Amino acid sequence: MCGAIQNKIEQKMQKYLIILLIGLGLTSCGEYQKVLKSNDYDYKFEYAKRAFDQKRYVQAATVLGDILTVFKGTEKAEETLYLLALCNYENKDYPTASSYFKTYYTRYPKGKYTELARFYCGYGYYLDSPEPQLDQSGTIKAIEELQGFLDYFPRSDKVSIAQNAIFELQDIEAASECPVVLQPWHLWR
């Protein structure tokens, strides 16, 4: 009898937990829609930071993109641009992320995140670099950006990562310049 009561209690608790989780999910979506419609840019900024911390990068990027121009020239502009770049990086949109990182370090050469922006700009291009048989302009961009990072921050803790990426990119570039070696079966034709 005691076991049956305990079973019923557990079943009710599971139902309440499911209802609670569904409610939280709906509230989260509702808040996002509310944020998108809001004209309170500070509220949008705080929401975007929370979304970023919760790894909801698409939502954070959308909101940050909306407020980027509004905050231009303010204290929040620097962090907004950097977070927008990071959101794109985390979403694996490396070309867009690299573009935002470059805008960041160009606009804020002595900014709080300049070292990381320079690194991630080059590393994003590295992660997006094509196979050797394809156009290597992205590879060249990656090498240039990573070399720029090394020139500006030679004592960074990311130096070895940048150097290894450059070596790998140089190997890809060299492989793209070599003619295709004929396989033995090509000789028999």
Side-chain angles (χ1 to χ4, degrees):
M1 178 140 186
C2 194
I5 293 173
Q6 186 176 0
N7 237 358
K8 284 185 180 185
I9 292 173
E10 287 177 4
Q11 287 176 348
K12 281 190 177 194
M13 287 180 68
Q14 286 177 349
K15 285 180 185 177
Y16 288 127
L17 183 61
I18 290 171
I19 291 170
L20 177 68
L21 291 174
I22 290 171
L24 285 174
L26 292 175
T27 303
S28 176
C29 290
E31 183 183 9
Y32 177 61
Q33 291 304 318
K34 182 180 171 186
V35 166
L36 289 177
K37 293 175 184 176
S38 175
N39 290 327
D40 183 350
Y41 299 114
D42 291 325
Y43 172 58
K44 285 185 168 194
F45 180 68
E46 292 306 318
Y47 177 85
K49 286 181 9 180
R50 274 195 330 270
F52 181 85
D53 289 341
Q54 296 168 354
K55 300 183 185 331
R56 292 182 292 142
Y57 302 118
V58 173
Q59 287 183 359
T62 302
V63 174
L64 289 166
D66 287 348
I67 62 176
L68 183 62
T69 55
V70 174
F71 282 149
K72 194 171 185 178
T74 69
E75 292 178 11
K76 294 180 180 173
E78 182 178 348
E79 188 174 7
T80 301
L81 181 56
Y82 181 72
L83 284 175
L84 180 57
L86 272 180
C87 286
N88 284 284
Y89 184 87
E90 293 295 339
N91 283 328
K92 297 181 181 2
D93 183 357
Y94 300 120
T96 303
S98 293
S99 175
Y100 280 124
F101 282 127
K102 186 168 188 155
T103 301
Y104 176 89
Y105 76 71
T106 303
R107 197 173 288 169
Y108 307 103
K110 295 183 187 276
K112 182 177 179 181
Y113 308 105
T114 301
E115 179 180 338
L116 290 172
R118 277 199 173 267
F119 172 76
Y120 284 123
C121 177
Y123 205 75
Y125 283 129
Y126 159 74
L127 292 172
D128 197 53
S129 65
E131 296 295 318
Q133 64 272 19
L134 300 175
D135 176 34
Q136 292 302 305
S137 57
T139 302
I140 293 166
K141 245 186 211 179
I143 292 171
E144 289 171 352
E145 290 294 338
L146 287 168
Q147 189 58 56
F149 165 75
L150 292 174
D151 292 345
Y152 278 90
F153 300 99
R155 290 177 175 55
S156 172
D157 62 337
K158 298 198 178 302
V159 164
S160 63
I161 297 169
Q163 287 173 332
N164 290 335
I166 289 173
F167 295 148
E168 190 175 324
L169 290 164
Q170 288 170 336
D171 288 346
I172 291 171
E173 189 179 21
S176 73
E177 294 171 359
C178 292
V180 176
V181 177
L182 294 176
Q183 300 295 325
W185 59 83
H186 288 100
L187 298 174
W188 297 331
R189 286 189 180 180

